[in-house]
Amino acid sequence: MLILGIESSCDETACAIVEGCTKLRTDVIASQAAEHRQYGGVVPELASRRHCENILAVTQQALKEAGCTVHDLDGIAVTYTPGLIGALLVGVSFAKGLALSAGKPLIPVHHITGHIAANYLAHPELKPPYLCLVVSGGHTMLCEVMDYTKFRILGTTRDDAAGECFDKCARVLGYPYPGGVQIDKAAQTGDPKKYPLPRPRVAGSELDCSFSGLKTAVINTVHHADQIGEPVDAASMAASLQHTVSEILTEKTELAAARTGYTTIAMAGGVSANSGLRRSMEAMCKKHGYTLYMPPLSLCGDNAAMIACQGSYNLLAGITADASLNAYASKTAIGEMAE
Ligand code: KG4
Ligand code: ZN
């Protein structure tokens, strides 16, 4: 089975081809990060325009590198939610046209399920059911992966996602977009104990989390230091933030594992590239004898390989769409990502 995946939910135009669910034949990504950097974040209109310009060339290159034509494919998978609506629409419209013209099944993929599937590409031995910590720029959730296409959300952020918290704090500390990776780099030389930061709790729901108070605490500390003319030790603030976020996420995962009884744990999403989080999750899993799966750094961020992989499982489960498929900016409790 050969599945082509298309990803355009944010600022990466990507196309990949996966064979037999988990064997990556090719993975092409055209990143717009450098262009958005000058504005301090993703400019949605610009992202849509660049997707329009890049998507055909990226897809042609993927087919060429995989040594196949569209006629050899068994299906065309595409991210249809969640993301920037204009950006998603480019991928969805392109995939629809391609599927329709080639007479191939069109496979809708929820972006978050794609992030989870990135683990299967690197670790085909990973099989549901297991517990997964999903941490991306827009989402932070703990979910039960009951089957390749069945998910149950156990806890989620009540406000900001962990990635958003990293990005906003990075901006106030003067680091360029995308800030998460800059925080990670800076944290290597900082003192994680220098700035004690709050650990917001969500009353009545121990598996939910909240990051907006933490973000505000970092911003207020930086502004206060500015006002009194004291320099902020940016590396130590980055280290303190990374340490606090990692501890919160690891503790929530530990609690979820204890409650559900899962001994296999996975991580997914852009923030799963964070070295502090990877270390603290490794230590927690080692302490309990849990098996931990993390995507390699190359598959943590947005890519189409994960979409093609999840698309393969969706096709096997009969999850396909017709030409009426639409894109949705936010849609969590749907189809293959049921709450
Ligand atoms: O999953 P992703 O690529 O896109 C979304 O679906 O949102 O996640 C992007 C997020 C951004 O907030 C980015 O700053 C963060 O992942 N990120 C990191 C690291 N690498 C990427 N955050 C912390 N440490 C990193 N090393
Ligand atoms: Zn993503």
Side-chain angles (χ1 to χ4, degrees):
M1 186 173 62
L2 215 52
I3 301 293
L4 180 142
I6 291 172
E7 158 63 37
S8 71
S9 65
C10 191
D11 61 346
E12 325 277 1
T13 319
C15 181
I17 295 171
V18 162
E19 188 180 343
C21 295
T22 57
K23 188 166 174 277
L24 186 56
R25 287 267 287 256
T26 182
D27 186 14
V28 180
I29 303 183
S31 176
Q32 310 169 6
E35 195 170 0
H36 294 287
R37 190 167 297 137
Q38 56 189 313
Y39 304 104
V42 178
V43 181
E45 174 62 19
L46 196 58
S48 313
R49 284 170 190 262
R50 293 296 171 264
H51 286 311
C52 285
E53 288 162 12
N54 294 338
I55 198 155
L56 178 61
V58 164
T59 306
Q60 282 172 330
Q61 194 184 331
L63 286 165
K64 192 171 159 209
E65 284 182 10
C68 63
T69 72
V70 73
H71 303 291
D72 301 318
L73 302 172
D74 293 291
I76 290 152
V78 64
T79 303
Y80 76 106
T81 191
L84 301 170
I85 189 65
L88 285 165
L89 274 168
V90 177
V92 167
S93 309
F94 184 83
K96 267 197 226 178
L98 197 61
L100 210 64
S101 63
K104 302 291 177 183
L106 175 66
I107 312 161
V109 176
H110 190 294
H111 182 79
I112 297 299
T113 67
H115 273 301
I116 296 170
N119 282 292
Y120 304 130
L121 291 163
H123 315 288
E125 72 278 15
L126 170 64
K127 304 225 170 349
Y130 58 90
L131 180 67
C132 188
L133 170 68
V134 179
V135 270
S136 72
H139 291 77
T140 297
M141 60 175 83
L142 268 162
C143 71
E144 245 180 299
V145 182
M146 294 178 292
D147 204 342
Y148 291 99
T149 59
K150 288 199 170 53
F151 308 85
R152 184 157 61 208
I153 297 168
L154 301 172
T156 180
T157 178
R158 291 292 178 97
D159 39 59
D160 293 348
E164 199 175 335
C165 176
F166 274 128
D167 292 344
K168 297 271 164 62
C169 294
R171 196 193 299 190
V172 81
L173 287 169
Y175 296 116
Y177 167 85
V181 68
Q182 304 292 337
I183 294 276
D184 197 345
K185 264 191 213 153
Q188 311 296 330
T189 58
D191 171 10
K193 300 266 155 64
K194 179 156 179 179
Y195 295 102
L197 295 169
R199 281 150 206 258
R201 287 181 175 276
V202 178
S205 180
E206 285 173 302
L207 294 182
D208 284 342
C209 48
S210 158
F211 289 106
S212 80
L214 179 55
K215 175 188 75 182
T216 306
V218 172
I219 294 173
N220 286 348
T221 307
V222 174
H223 285 169
H224 179 69
D226 276 354
Q227 279 161 2
I228 60 172
E230 251 181 29
V232 173
D233 175 355
S236 292
M237 181 57 93
S240 302
L241 174 66
Q242 178 167 300
H243 177 69
T244 308
V245 171
S246 301
E247 271 199 358
I248 294 171
L249 292 171
T250 305
E251 276 168 21
K252 298 279 172 196
T253 311
E254 189 173 23
L255 185 60
R259 284 204 182 156
T260 55
Y262 284 112
T263 56
T264 300
I265 297 175
M267 286 162 70
V271 182
S272 62
N274 185 266
S275 62
L277 179 61
R278 288 171 92 94
R279 266 197 310 274
S280 81
M281 288 285 287
E282 270 168 346
M284 183 274 286
C285 288
K286 194 168 170 214
K287 182 172 90 183
H288 295 289
Y290 298 156
T291 310
L292 176 66
Y293 291 94
M294 302 183 279
L297 296 188
S298 59
L299 291 174
C300 287
D302 290 345
N303 63 83
M306 66 188 200
I307 302 303
C309 175
Q310 183 59 33
S312 309
Y313 290 114
N314 285 1
L315 183 63
L316 290 176
I319 301 168
T320 57
D322 60 21
S324 66
L325 178 69
N326 204 350
Y328 301 91
S330 81
K331 199 174 193 193
T332 304
I334 37 95
E336 79 273 32
M337 189 81 193
E339 211 166 329

